Amino acid sequence: MTKHDPPSNPFSTRHRMILVVLALALLALLVTAARLEPSSRGFGTHQQLGLGECFVVQQWGVRCPSCGMTTAWTRLLHGDLQGAVAANTGGVLLCVAAMAAVPWLLASAAVGRWCYLRPTASLVLPAVAVVALIVVFDWMRHTGLALLLERIP
């Protein structure tokens, strides 16, 4: 820190607890995904949790943008990167982000300030936009919309 940097205010106990709860929630998602068996279809792994089939798949027979996310997490956590990317590329990015966020959130809570990286709108919003675009393009790849768009003059 230089003499021109503003002093960092330590997090309140409430702020620290929120970070711990967020870290534990992400950890619970990661542990749950790691304990599931990835669906051979590339989507539908969430059904092992008692959840129903995707409404979009039921109604129209095509995948929705989030189809395959649980499968992607499960495959990635089982060490199958290629299968994870095939299931849902955006899901892979979100899983990696969750894996990185758990220790970062816990470390930040422990020391009472942001460790290494302070989340700002100029950092978070572009990252969210990139993941959203990847999810949309991945969905287009899975549904054949990319081929349809190529035919439009």
Side-chain angles (χ1 to χ4, degrees):
M1 182 162 82
T2 68
K3 65 181 182 176
H4 300 291
D5 291 334
S8 65
N9 294 329
F11 293 156
S12 66
T13 301
R14 181 174 181 262
H15 193 153
R16 288 178 178 211
M17 292 305 298
I18 289 169
L19 296 180
V20 169
V21 168
L22 286 172
L24 292 176
L26 290 172
L27 184 60
L29 291 173
L30 289 164
V31 168
T32 300
R35 296 186 62 162
L36 296 174
E37 187 63 36
S39 171
S40 59
R41 296 186 304 167
F43 63 97
T45 301
H46 68 279
Q47 291 177 291
Q48 295 172 47
L49 300 169
L51 301 170
E53 186 175 14
C54 173
F55 175 79
V56 175
V57 172
Q58 279 184 334
Q59 294 299 310
W60 296 290
V62 296
R63 294 170 58 145
C64 76
S66 66
C67 276
M69 283 215 184
T70 306
T71 303
W73 281 50
T74 300
R75 287 184 185 262
L76 186 63
L77 294 169
H78 284 234
D80 179 11
L81 177 60
Q82 185 176 358
V85 169
N88 191 306
T89 308
V92 172
L93 295 175
L94 292 174
C95 185
V96 169
M99 289 189 288
V102 169
W104 172 64
L105 290 168
L106 291 175
S108 295
V111 299
R113 60 178 173 73
W114 291 115
C115 292
Y116 180 67
L117 187 65
R118 182 176 171 261
T120 62
S122 62
L123 179 69
V124 174
L125 292 178
V128 169
V130 166
V131 171
L133 283 172
I134 289 170
V135 167
V136 168
F137 284 120
D138 195 57
W139 174 64
M140 290 170 63
R141 175 178 63 97
H142 284 292
T143 60
L145 289 178
L147 295 174
L148 177 65
L149 291 175
E150 284 179 8
R151 294 181 183 162
I152 297 174

